[in-house]
Amino acid sequence: MNRVIEQLKANQIEYVENEPMVRHTTFKIGGPARLLVMPRTAEQAAQTVKACRAFGVRFMAVGNGSNLLVADEGIDACVILLGKGFDAVRLLDDTTIYAEAGAPLIKVCSFALEHGLTGLEFAYGIPGSCGGAAFMNAGAYGGEMKDVLYRCDHIDGDGNTGCLEGEALALSYRHSAYYENGCTVTGLYLKLERGDREAIKAKMTELLGRRKDKQPLEYPSAGSTFKRPEGYFAGALIEQCGLKGTAVGGAQVSEKHAGFVINTGGATCQDVLALCRQVSDTVKKETGVTLEMEIRVTS
């Protein structure tokens, strides 16, 4: 790790050691990252990956941390944070937006509205960054990233730049090729359509209102805790089993929306995992349906 730090200093790449991950996840849970690196460019991100590979240091990329549960003992690795400074958004032509991986989805949605582009309204209010949205094919209210995403730039596991386009992205329900290929998304290309600004704004306002009415946005969480089982809705199954309000330590099945496990204050990773096991075991026993966690757990 010290050799990696020497390389970061030589390339003037910002970093901190033993950084609490509670500051970098929407769940507000998790111990420290041994090394947290904050690249400002794709070149700096690539240099970081190359240094980690050269000196045998495990690394992982994180954006807004909106779908991440970090272990209580932390992450004994180099965490590459693609956030502020890695969040540029620009118009490539009349209907194409390019966004760096650290750009918040809400920023890109607002940019689309500003330029009268429709197709991304579904993402307004999703508390994630573009890189994470591409990684997991984020979606809501009948829309998914695969509807608008046609190319991603990335850095592979050796620090080389590349891209995936079209079918090679392998976008499906909460999945992309990036789950398996070990690459880090650095930029997204979104193809939208010309639309009426007032209609776009009205749709965004409507969907944000629905989120606020139905989701426990007042508490830290990682969004929907479980994937949607085929033919069912996870939240409905959990509610059907009488699990709303069930708690383990500071973790609780939201009383507002049973599909969310929330941090009511001081929840640990172990609290969340124990509660999720209890929920999935109960749902399996009472309904026969297997729930799969949507949240990524890392240590």
PDB file of all heavy atoms in Angstrom, residues 69-103:
ATOM      1  N   LEU A  69     -23.298  -1.576   0.959  1.00  0.00           N
ATOM      2  CA  LEU A  69     -23.246  -1.824   2.397  1.00  0.00           C
ATOM      3  C   LEU A  69     -21.822  -2.249   2.722  1.00  0.00           C
ATOM      4  O   LEU A  69     -21.362  -3.292   2.269  1.00  0.00           O
ATOM      5  CB  LEU A  69     -24.247  -2.913   2.795  1.00  0.00           C
ATOM      6  CG  LEU A  69     -24.249  -3.335   4.268  1.00  0.00           C
ATOM      7  CD1 LEU A  69     -24.619  -2.158   5.176  1.00  0.00           C
ATOM      8  CD2 LEU A  69     -25.209  -4.507   4.480  1.00  0.00           C
ATOM      9  N   VAL A  70     -21.135  -1.433   3.504  1.00  0.00           N
ATOM     10  CA  VAL A  70     -19.727  -1.674   3.822  1.00  0.00           C
ATOM     11  C   VAL A  70     -19.616  -2.353   5.183  1.00  0.00           C
ATOM     12  O   VAL A  70     -20.302  -1.980   6.140  1.00  0.00           O
ATOM     13  CB  VAL A  70     -18.934  -0.348   3.829  1.00  0.00           C
ATOM     14  CG1 VAL A  70     -17.491  -0.578   4.277  1.00  0.00           C
ATOM     15  CG2 VAL A  70     -18.963   0.284   2.442  1.00  0.00           C
ATOM     16  N   ALA A  71     -18.740  -3.344   5.251  1.00  0.00           N
ATOM     17  CA  ALA A  71     -18.524  -4.092   6.493  1.00  0.00           C
ATOM     18  C   ALA A  71     -18.102  -3.172   7.630  1.00  0.00           C
ATOM     19  O   ALA A  71     -17.454  -2.146   7.418  1.00  0.00           O
ATOM     20  CB  ALA A  71     -17.472  -5.174   6.268  1.00  0.00           C
ATOM     21  N   ASP A  72     -18.457  -3.579   8.855  1.00  0.00           N
ATOM     22  CA  ASP A  72     -18.141  -2.766  10.028  1.00  0.00           C
ATOM     23  C   ASP A  72     -16.635  -2.607  10.226  1.00  0.00           C
ATOM     24  O   ASP A  72     -16.173  -1.578  10.729  1.00  0.00           O
ATOM     25  CB  ASP A  72     -18.768  -3.394  11.281  1.00  0.00           C
ATOM     26  CG  ASP A  72     -20.281  -3.476  11.180  1.00  0.00           C
ATOM     27  OD1 ASP A  72     -20.894  -2.482  10.745  1.00  0.00           O
ATOM     28  OD2 ASP A  72     -20.847  -4.530  11.514  1.00  0.00           O
ATOM     29  N   GLU A  73     -15.857  -3.622   9.822  1.00  0.00           N
ATOM     30  CA  GLU A  73     -14.405  -3.536   9.965  1.00  0.00           C
ATOM     31  C   GLU A  73     -13.771  -2.712   8.858  1.00  0.00           C
ATOM     32  O   GLU A  73     -12.560  -2.443   8.894  1.00  0.00           O
ATOM     33  CB  GLU A  73     -13.782  -4.932   9.997  1.00  0.00           C
ATOM     34  CG  GLU A  73     -14.012  -5.764   8.760  1.00  0.00           C
ATOM     35  CD  GLU A  73     -15.274  -6.613   8.833  1.00  0.00           C
ATOM     36  OE1 GLU A  73     -16.189  -6.264   9.601  1.00  0.00           O
ATOM     37  OE2 GLU A  73     -15.336  -7.627   8.095  1.00  0.00           O
ATOM     38  N   GLY A  74     -14.551  -2.331   7.871  1.00  0.00           N
ATOM     39  CA  GLY A  74     -14.059  -1.474   6.805  1.00  0.00           C
ATOM     40  C   GLY A  74     -13.618  -2.254   5.576  1.00  0.00           C
ATOM     41  O   GLY A  74     -13.964  -3.422   5.386  1.00  0.00           O
ATOM     42  N   ILE A  75     -12.835  -1.585   4.730  1.00  0.00           N
ATOM     43  CA  ILE A  75     -12.380  -2.162   3.467  1.00  0.00           C
ATOM     44  C   ILE A  75     -10.855  -2.117   3.432  1.00  0.00           C
ATOM     45  O   ILE A  75     -10.257  -1.038   3.366  1.00  0.00           O
ATOM     46  CB  ILE A  75     -12.948  -1.372   2.261  1.00  0.00           C
ATOM     47  CG1 ILE A  75     -14.478  -1.307   2.317  1.00  0.00           C
ATOM     48  CG2 ILE A  75     -12.490  -2.002   0.954  1.00  0.00           C
ATOM     49  CD1 ILE A  75     -15.088  -0.441   1.228  1.00  0.00           C
ATOM     50  N   ASP A  76     -10.236  -3.274   3.479  1.00  0.00           N
ATOM     51  CA  ASP A  76      -8.768  -3.347   3.441  1.00  0.00           C
ATOM     52  C   ASP A  76      -8.326  -3.367   1.986  1.00  0.00           C
ATOM     53  O   ASP A  76      -7.892  -4.384   1.446  1.00  0.00           O
ATOM     54  CB  ASP A  76      -8.282  -4.593   4.173  1.00  0.00           C
ATOM     55  CG  ASP A  76      -6.767  -4.625   4.298  1.00  0.00           C
ATOM     56  OD1 ASP A  76      -6.139  -3.553   4.141  1.00  0.00           O
ATOM     57  OD2 ASP A  76      -6.209  -5.718   4.533  1.00  0.00           O
ATOM     58  N   ALA A  77      -8.484  -2.224   1.338  1.00  0.00           N
ATOM     59  CA  ALA A  77      -8.205  -2.114  -0.091  1.00  0.00           C
ATOM     60  C   ALA A  77      -8.081  -0.640  -0.449  1.00  0.00           C
ATOM     61  O   ALA A  77      -8.268   0.246   0.392  1.00  0.00           O
ATOM     62  CB  ALA A  77      -9.327  -2.767  -0.899  1.00  0.00           C
ATOM     63  N   CYS A  78      -7.775  -0.405  -1.714  1.00  0.00           N
ATOM     64  CA  CYS A  78      -7.779   0.953  -2.253  1.00  0.00           C
ATOM     65  C   CYS A  78      -9.147   1.209  -2.864  1.00  0.00           C
ATOM     66  O   CYS A  78      -9.550   0.523  -3.807  1.00  0.00           O
ATOM     67  CB  CYS A  78      -6.683   1.087  -3.302  1.00  0.00           C
ATOM     68  SG  CYS A  78      -6.722   2.653  -4.200  1.00  0.00           S
ATOM     69  N   VAL A  79      -9.862   2.170  -2.327  1.00  0.00           N
ATOM     70  CA  VAL A  79     -11.170   2.551  -2.850  1.00  0.00           C
ATOM     71  C   VAL A  79     -10.992   3.770  -3.753  1.00  0.00           C
ATOM     72  O   VAL A  79     -10.478   4.806  -3.307  1.00  0.00           O
ATOM     73  CB  VAL A  79     -12.164   2.874  -1.716  1.00  0.00           C
ATOM     74  CG1 VAL A  79     -13.479   3.391  -2.288  1.00  0.00           C
ATOM     75  CG2 VAL A  79     -12.404   1.631  -0.864  1.00  0.00           C
ATOM     76  N   ILE A  80     -11.376   3.622  -4.998  1.00  0.00           N
ATOM     77  CA  ILE A  80     -11.271   4.720  -5.963  1.00  0.00           C
ATOM     78  C   ILE A  80     -12.617   5.417  -6.018  1.00  0.00           C
ATOM     79  O   ILE A  80     -13.598   4.854  -6.506  1.00  0.00           O
ATOM     80  CB  ILE A  80     -10.864   4.186  -7.350  1.00  0.00           C
ATOM     81  CG1 ILE A  80      -9.544   3.422  -7.251  1.00  0.00           C
ATOM     82  CG2 ILE A  80     -10.742   5.338  -8.346  1.00  0.00           C
ATOM     83  CD1 ILE A  80      -9.166   2.681  -8.522  1.00  0.00           C
ATOM     84  N   LEU A  81     -12.677   6.620  -5.478  1.00  0.00           N
ATOM     85  CA  LEU A  81     -13.937   7.352  -5.377  1.00  0.00           C
ATOM     86  C   LEU A  81     -14.116   8.245  -6.603  1.00  0.00           C
ATOM     87  O   LEU A  81     -13.380   9.212  -6.801  1.00  0.00           O
ATOM     88  CB  LEU A  81     -13.943   8.201  -4.108  1.00  0.00           C
ATOM     89  CG  LEU A  81     -15.229   8.995  -3.838  1.00  0.00           C
ATOM     90  CD1 LEU A  81     -16.397   8.053  -3.546  1.00  0.00           C
ATOM     91  CD2 LEU A  81     -15.032   9.952  -2.664  1.00  0.00           C
ATOM     92  N   LEU A  82     -15.089   7.898  -7.417  1.00  0.00           N
ATOM     93  CA  LEU A  82     -15.410   8.702  -8.604  1.00  0.00           C
ATOM     94  C   LEU A  82     -16.573   9.613  -8.233  1.00  0.00           C
ATOM     95  O   LEU A  82     -17.737   9.241  -8.339  1.00  0.00           O
ATOM     96  CB  LEU A  82     -15.771   7.787  -9.779  1.00  0.00           C
ATOM     97  CG  LEU A  82     -14.695   6.763 -10.160  1.00  0.00           C
ATOM     98  CD1 LEU A  82     -15.161   5.917 -11.327  1.00  0.00           C
ATOM     99  CD2 LEU A  82     -13.377   7.443 -10.485  1.00  0.00           C
ATOM    100  N   GLY A  83     -16.258  10.799  -7.783  1.00  0.00           N
ATOM    101  CA  GLY A  83     -17.280  11.711  -7.291  1.00  0.00           C
ATOM    102  C   GLY A  83     -17.036  13.123  -7.764  1.00  0.00           C
ATOM    103  O   GLY A  83     -16.866  13.377  -8.958  1.00  0.00           O
ATOM    104  N   LYS A  84     -16.997  14.068  -6.830  1.00  0.00           N
ATOM    105  CA  LYS A  84     -16.767  15.469  -7.187  1.00  0.00           C
ATOM    106  C   LYS A  84     -15.428  15.600  -7.900  1.00  0.00           C
ATOM    107  O   LYS A  84     -14.423  15.024  -7.488  1.00  0.00           O
ATOM    108  CB  LYS A  84     -16.790  16.335  -5.921  1.00  0.00           C
ATOM    109  CG  LYS A  84     -18.161  16.447  -5.285  1.00  0.00           C
ATOM    110  CD  LYS A  84     -18.137  17.338  -4.052  1.00  0.00           C
ATOM    111  CE  LYS A  84     -19.526  17.462  -3.431  1.00  0.00           C
ATOM    112  NZ  LYS A  84     -19.510  18.294  -2.209  1.00  0.00           N
ATOM    113  N   GLY A  85     -15.442  16.363  -8.966  1.00  0.00           N
ATOM    114  CA  GLY A  85     -14.255  16.491  -9.782  1.00  0.00           C
ATOM    115  C   GLY A  85     -14.223  15.496 -10.919  1.00  0.00           C
ATOM    116  O   GLY A  85     -13.407  15.597 -11.839  1.00  0.00           O
ATOM    117  N   PHE A  86     -15.103  14.511 -10.841  1.00  0.00           N
ATOM    118  CA  PHE A  86     -15.220  13.500 -11.894  1.00  0.00           C
ATOM    119  C   PHE A  86     -16.687  13.443 -12.315  1.00  0.00           C
ATOM    120  O   PHE A  86     -17.268  12.368 -12.454  1.00  0.00           O
ATOM    121  CB  PHE A  86     -14.764  12.136 -11.369  1.00  0.00           C
ATOM    122  CG  PHE A  86     -14.211  11.219 -12.422  1.00  0.00           C
ATOM    123  CD1 PHE A  86     -12.843  11.066 -12.588  1.00  0.00           C
ATOM    124  CD2 PHE A  86     -15.057  10.509 -13.250  1.00  0.00           C
ATOM    125  CE1 PHE A  86     -12.338  10.213 -13.564  1.00  0.00           C
ATOM    126  CE2 PHE A  86     -14.559   9.662 -14.216  1.00  0.00           C
ATOM    127  CZ  PHE A  86     -13.195   9.515 -14.379  1.00  0.00           C
ATOM    128  N   ASP A  87     -17.290  14.616 -12.484  1.00  0.00           N
ATOM    129  CA  ASP A  87     -18.748  14.670 -12.654  1.00  0.00           C
ATOM    130  C   ASP A  87     -19.197  15.611 -13.774  1.00  0.00           C
ATOM    131  O   ASP A  87     -20.298  16.156 -13.741  1.00  0.00           O
ATOM    132  CB  ASP A  87     -19.413  15.083 -11.341  1.00  0.00           C
ATOM    133  CG  ASP A  87     -18.943  16.447 -10.842  1.00  0.00           C
ATOM    134  OD1 ASP A  87     -18.027  17.031 -11.451  1.00  0.00           O
ATOM    135  OD2 ASP A  87     -19.508  16.928  -9.840  1.00  0.00           O
ATOM    136  N   ALA A  88     -18.354  15.773 -14.797  1.00  0.00           N
ATOM    137  CA  ALA A  88     -18.713  16.664 -15.906  1.00  0.00           C
ATOM    138  C   ALA A  88     -19.855  16.079 -16.731  1.00  0.00           C
ATOM    139  O   ALA A  88     -19.966  14.865 -16.902  1.00  0.00           O
ATOM    140  CB  ALA A  88     -17.493  16.902 -16.798  1.00  0.00           C
ATOM    141  N   VAL A  89     -20.705  16.969 -17.237  1.00  0.00           N
ATOM    142  CA  VAL A  89     -21.817  16.578 -18.116  1.00  0.00           C
ATOM    143  C   VAL A  89     -21.811  17.544 -19.301  1.00  0.00           C
ATOM    144  O   VAL A  89     -21.726  18.757 -19.110  1.00  0.00           O
ATOM    145  CB  VAL A  89     -23.180  16.661 -17.396  1.00  0.00           C
ATOM    146  CG1 VAL A  89     -24.309  16.210 -18.321  1.00  0.00           C
ATOM    147  CG2 VAL A  89     -23.178  15.829 -16.122  1.00  0.00           C
ATOM    148  N   ARG A  90     -21.894  16.993 -20.504  1.00  0.00           N
ATOM    149  CA  ARG A  90     -21.906  17.885 -21.667  1.00  0.00           C
ATOM    150  C   ARG A  90     -22.743  17.293 -22.794  1.00  0.00           C
ATOM    151  O   ARG A  90     -22.982  16.086 -22.844  1.00  0.00           O
ATOM    152  CB  ARG A  90     -20.487  18.175 -22.150  1.00  0.00           C
ATOM    153  CG  ARG A  90     -19.686  16.971 -22.604  1.00  0.00           C
ATOM    154  CD  ARG A  90     -18.304  17.404 -23.083  1.00  0.00           C
ATOM    155  NE  ARG A  90     -17.508  16.305 -23.591  1.00  0.00           N
ATOM    156  CZ  ARG A  90     -16.668  15.585 -22.858  1.00  0.00           C
ATOM    157  NH1 ARG A  90     -16.525  15.873 -21.572  1.00  0.00           N
ATOM    158  NH2 ARG A  90     -15.978  14.598 -23.400  1.00  0.00           N
ATOM    159  N   LEU A  91     -23.135  18.164 -23.688  1.00  0.00           N
ATOM    160  CA  LEU A  91     -23.949  17.786 -24.841  1.00  0.00           C
ATOM    161  C   LEU A  91     -23.021  17.511 -26.021  1.00  0.00           C
ATOM    162  O   LEU A  91     -22.209  18.352 -26.393  1.00  0.00           O
ATOM    163  CB  LEU A  91     -24.923  18.920 -25.174  1.00  0.00           C
ATOM    164  CG  LEU A  91     -26.171  18.612 -25.988  1.00  0.00           C
ATOM    165  CD1 LEU A  91     -27.070  17.626 -25.270  1.00  0.00           C
ATOM    166  CD2 LEU A  91     -26.927  19.903 -26.287  1.00  0.00           C
ATOM    167  N   LEU A  92     -23.141  16.325 -26.603  1.00  0.00           N
ATOM    168  CA  LEU A  92     -22.303  15.966 -27.740  1.00  0.00           C
ATOM    169  C   LEU A  92     -22.936  16.345 -29.071  1.00  0.00           C
ATOM    170  O   LEU A  92     -22.249  16.698 -30.022  1.00  0.00           O
ATOM    171  CB  LEU A  92     -21.990  14.468 -27.726  1.00  0.00           C
ATOM    172  CG  LEU A  92     -21.201  13.951 -26.520  1.00  0.00           C
ATOM    173  CD1 LEU A  92     -20.913  12.468 -26.687  1.00  0.00           C
ATOM    174  CD2 LEU A  92     -19.911  14.732 -26.326  1.00  0.00           C
ATOM    175  N   ASP A  93     -24.255  16.227 -29.155  1.00  0.00           N
ATOM    176  CA  ASP A  93     -25.010  16.698 -30.311  1.00  0.00           C
ATOM    177  C   ASP A  93     -26.421  17.009 -29.829  1.00  0.00           C
ATOM    178  O   ASP A  93     -26.660  17.063 -28.624  1.00  0.00           O
ATOM    179  CB  ASP A  93     -24.992  15.682 -31.468  1.00  0.00           C
ATOM    180  CG  ASP A  93     -25.568  14.326 -31.091  1.00  0.00           C
ATOM    181  OD1 ASP A  93     -26.570  14.283 -30.342  1.00  0.00           O
ATOM    182  OD2 ASP A  93     -25.035  13.297 -31.557  1.00  0.00           O
ATOM    183  N   ASP A  94     -27.360  17.191 -30.718  1.00  0.00           N
ATOM    184  CA  ASP A  94     -28.699  17.639 -30.332  1.00  0.00           C
ATOM    185  C   ASP A  94     -29.401  16.705 -29.354  1.00  0.00           C
ATOM    186  O   ASP A  94     -30.261  17.133 -28.586  1.00  0.00           O
ATOM    187  CB  ASP A  94     -29.578  17.814 -31.575  1.00  0.00           C
ATOM    188  CG  ASP A  94     -29.222  19.071 -32.357  1.00  0.00           C
ATOM    189  OD1 ASP A  94     -28.456  19.895 -31.815  1.00  0.00           O
ATOM    190  OD2 ASP A  94     -29.693  19.221 -33.494  1.00  0.00           O
ATOM    191  N   THR A  95     -29.066  15.420 -29.386  1.00  0.00           N
ATOM    192  CA  THR A  95     -29.798  14.458 -28.544  1.00  0.00           C
ATOM    193  C   THR A  95     -28.885  13.530 -27.739  1.00  0.00           C
ATOM    194  O   THR A  95     -29.369  12.584 -27.124  1.00  0.00           O
ATOM    195  CB  THR A  95     -30.738  13.587 -29.406  1.00  0.00           C
ATOM    196  OG1 THR A  95     -29.958  12.908 -30.404  1.00  0.00           O
ATOM    197  CG2 THR A  95     -31.817  14.427 -30.060  1.00  0.00           C
ATOM    198  N   THR A  96     -27.583  13.793 -27.717  1.00  0.00           N
ATOM    199  CA  THR A  96     -26.649  12.893 -27.019  1.00  0.00           C
ATOM    200  C   THR A  96     -25.958  13.609 -25.862  1.00  0.00           C
ATOM    201  O   THR A  96     -25.366  14.666 -26.041  1.00  0.00           O
ATOM    202  CB  THR A  96     -25.578  12.352 -27.978  1.00  0.00           C
ATOM    203  OG1 THR A  96     -26.210  11.722 -29.091  1.00  0.00           O
ATOM    204  CG2 THR A  96     -24.692  11.334 -27.269  1.00  0.00           C
ATOM    205  N   ILE A  97     -26.045  13.003 -24.688  1.00  0.00           N
ATOM    206  CA  ILE A  97     -25.378  13.527 -23.494  1.00  0.00           C
ATOM    207  C   ILE A  97     -24.224  12.603 -23.123  1.00  0.00           C
ATOM    208  O   ILE A  97     -24.361  11.378 -23.128  1.00  0.00           O
ATOM    209  CB  ILE A  97     -26.361  13.620 -22.308  1.00  0.00           C
ATOM    210  CG1 ILE A  97     -27.399  14.727 -22.550  1.00  0.00           C
ATOM    211  CG2 ILE A  97     -25.621  13.876 -20.992  1.00  0.00           C
ATOM    212  CD1 ILE A  97     -28.454  14.809 -21.465  1.00  0.00           C
ATOM    213  N   TYR A  98     -23.091  13.214 -22.790  1.00  0.00           N
ATOM    214  CA  TYR A  98     -21.970  12.476 -22.207  1.00  0.00           C
ATOM    215  C   TYR A  98     -21.862  12.902 -20.749  1.00  0.00           C
ATOM    216  O   TYR A  98     -21.884  14.094 -20.429  1.00  0.00           O
ATOM    217  CB  TYR A  98     -20.655  12.793 -22.916  1.00  0.00           C
ATOM    218  CG  TYR A  98     -19.458  12.194 -22.199  1.00  0.00           C
ATOM    219  CD1 TYR A  98     -19.145  10.854 -22.352  1.00  0.00           C
ATOM    220  CD2 TYR A  98     -18.679  12.980 -21.344  1.00  0.00           C
ATOM    221  CE1 TYR A  98     -18.070  10.298 -21.677  1.00  0.00           C
ATOM    222  CE2 TYR A  98     -17.603  12.427 -20.668  1.00  0.00           C
ATOM    223  CZ  TYR A  98     -17.292  11.081 -20.836  1.00  0.00           C
ATOM    224  OH  TYR A  98     -16.242  10.532 -20.151  1.00  0.00           O
ATOM    225  N   ALA A  99     -21.751  11.915 -19.853  1.00  0.00           N
ATOM    226  CA  ALA A  99     -21.622  12.208 -18.426  1.00  0.00           C
ATOM    227  C   ALA A  99     -20.493  11.386 -17.837  1.00  0.00           C
ATOM    228  O   ALA A  99     -20.401  10.172 -18.096  1.00  0.00           O
ATOM    229  CB  ALA A  99     -22.926  11.895 -17.700  1.00  0.00           C
ATOM    230  N   GLU A 100     -19.623  12.025 -17.058  1.00  0.00           N
ATOM    231  CA  GLU A 100     -18.595  11.277 -16.351  1.00  0.00           C
ATOM    232  C   GLU A 100     -19.239  10.448 -15.249  1.00  0.00           C
ATOM    233  O   GLU A 100     -20.321  10.767 -14.752  1.00  0.00           O
ATOM    234  CB  GLU A 100     -17.546  12.226 -15.780  1.00  0.00           C
ATOM    235  CG  GLU A 100     -16.680  12.869 -16.854  1.00  0.00           C
ATOM    236  CD  GLU A 100     -15.568  13.721 -16.289  1.00  0.00           C
ATOM    237  OE1 GLU A 100     -15.792  14.408 -15.268  1.00  0.00           O
ATOM    238  OE2 GLU A 100     -14.474  13.722 -16.888  1.00  0.00           O
ATOM    239  N   ALA A 101     -18.553   9.380 -14.859  1.00  0.00           N
ATOM    240  CA  ALA A 101     -19.147   8.392 -13.961  1.00  0.00           C
ATOM    241  C   ALA A 101     -19.565   8.962 -12.610  1.00  0.00           C
ATOM    242  O   ALA A 101     -20.511   8.470 -11.990  1.00  0.00           O
ATOM    243  CB  ALA A 101     -18.165   7.244 -13.748  1.00  0.00           C
ATOM    244  N   GLY A 102     -18.888   9.994 -12.147  1.00  0.00           N
ATOM    245  CA  GLY A 102     -19.212  10.553 -10.842  1.00  0.00           C
ATOM    246  C   GLY A 102     -20.363  11.539 -10.838  1.00  0.00           C
ATOM    247  O   GLY A 102     -20.772  12.025  -9.779  1.00  0.00           O
ATOM    248  N   ALA A 103     -20.908  11.838 -11.996  1.00  0.00           N
ATOM    249  CA  ALA A 103     -22.022  12.792 -12.066  1.00  0.00           C
ATOM    250  C   ALA A 103     -23.272  12.194 -11.424  1.00  0.00           C
ATOM    251  O   ALA A 103     -23.684  11.091 -11.791  1.00  0.00           O
ATOM    252  CB  ALA A 103     -22.309  13.163 -13.512  1.00  0.00           C
TER     253      ALA A 103
END
